[in-house]
Amino acid sequence: ETGVTQSPTHLIKTRGQQVTLRCSSQSGHNTVSWYQQALGQGPQFIFQYYREEENGRGNFPPRFSGLQFPNYSSELNVNALELDDSALYLCASSSRVWNTEAFFGQGTRLTVV
Amino acid sequence: SQQGEEDPQALSIQEGENATMNCSYKTSINNLQWYRQNSGRGLVHLILIRSNEREKHSGRLRVTLDTSKKSSSLLITASRAADTASYFCATDVGPYNNNDMRFGAGTRLTVKP
């Protein structure tokens, strides 16, 4: 069991709506990354947050945005939901120290109908 | 974009047998991490191997890394039914620790009792 928790575990939204997913990082970690995992695929990097600032982004449009709070927890916001946004959203917690592990939460399963 | 590619895509063995999974990647890496995922849930961290290491062990797991061939392998010895899961390799390619980890599509391992 990692100390990384995500909420909610499941979510159903309608196309065009907005959604907020939450992640609390493991104790001692100051970096949170978000990944999208479509069915049957590996996770794809969305972005990383460090010291409350976005610190790298993958190939995702601006309607995917995030926040990191002073306690290092993080939110992922997705606006104008599309059917293709249906996926498992994973957050990963790590430190800035090179070659140390990234630990993942259990994920949020988002279904867009 | 994905950079890792696991091989085979699926593997079915009997309990007690060894399972070997391979991972190939395209660019220089800081490190490579292996993860397990059960039934679309979160990723469980298995092992991290640094780019200057060639082999690493953890319990029944043995990981090798060949940076000249840009490949890694994960060996699970004396497999158990509980090892049934998808296994992913993730290469750390970003400018910071665990920034922009690249995953393949995974190897689906089935261990029959």
Side-chain angles (χ1 to χ4, degrees):
Chain A
E1 284 285 329
T2 70
V4 183
T5 58
Q6 292 186 242
S7 63
T9 53
H10 295 86
L11 202 52
I12 299 175
K13 288 286 189 178
T14 303
R15 190 171 50 182
Q17 285 188 317
Q18 178 264 345
V19 69
T20 298
L21 310 181
R22 295 178 176 83
C23 171
S24 64
S25 61
Q26 183 163 300
S27 176
H29 285 175
N30 54 16
T31 300
V32 174
S33 304
W34 286 93
Y35 289 80
Q36 180 195 67
Q37 186 179 20
L39 205 60
Q41 300 296 316
Q44 299 251 11
F45 175 66
I46 303 175
F47 42 56
Q48 183 181 76
Y49 274 83
Y50 170 67
R51 290 188 175 178
E52 302 177 50
E53 292 194 358
E54 188 179 289
N55 188 43
R57 170 181 278 262
N59 189 25
F60 282 83
R63 59 189 186 83
F64 285 78
S65 63
L67 284 173
Q68 186 180 33
F69 301 98
N71 66 355
Y72 307 123
S73 66
S74 177
E75 287 182 354
L76 165 65
N77 299 291
V78 187
N79 293 323
L81 284 167
E82 301 176 359
L83 297 180
D84 284 350
D85 295 333
S86 295
L88 181 68
Y89 288 85
L90 297 160
C91 80
S93 164
S94 61
S95 80
R96 198 76 161 176
V97 177
W98 275 112
N99 295 318
T100 57
E101 299 85 350
F103 294 107
F104 284 79
Q106 286 299 302
T108 294
R109 172 71 63 186
L110 173 65
T111 303
V112 183
V113 297
Chain B
S1 61
Q2 295 189 319
Q3 114 148 309
E5 187 173 319
E6 290 88 350
D7 169 60
Q9 292 185 341
L11 182 60
S12 182
I13 59 174
Q14 293 293 135
E15 209 165 28
E17 293 180 339
N18 295 341
T20 299
M21 288 159 269
N22 302 296
C23 167
S24 60
Y25 56 92
K26 298 172 186 172
T27 65
S28 296
I29 61 172
N30 302 312
N31 60 61
L32 186 146
Q33 300 179 68
W34 283 92
Y35 290 87
R36 184 186 76 230
Q37 185 176 43
N38 292 82
S39 300
R41 301 185 67 191
L43 299 175
V44 174
H45 189 273
L46 297 177
I47 201 162
L48 178 151
I49 187 165
R50 303 181 183 194
S51 61
N52 61 353
E53 295 177 312
R54 292 296 166 258
E55 188 170 314
K56 207 162 180 181
H57 297 256
S58 176
R60 294 184 295 115
L61 307 180
R62 172 178 169 256
V63 167
T64 62
L65 178 65
D66 187 336
T67 52
S68 66
K69 294 181 179 178
K70 293 187 169 56
S71 67
S72 174
S73 67
L74 169 67
L75 168 67
I76 304 174
T77 59
S79 63
R80 306 166 182 168
D83 295 328
T84 294
S86 292
Y87 291 81
F88 295 90
C89 68
T91 49
D92 187 359
V93 302
Y96 307 104
N97 189 48
N98 294 321
N99 183 284
D100 192 5
M101 289 164 56
R102 305 288 180 90
F103 290 80
T107 292
R108 174 71 190 165
L109 174 66
T110 302
V111 182
K112 301 175 186 175

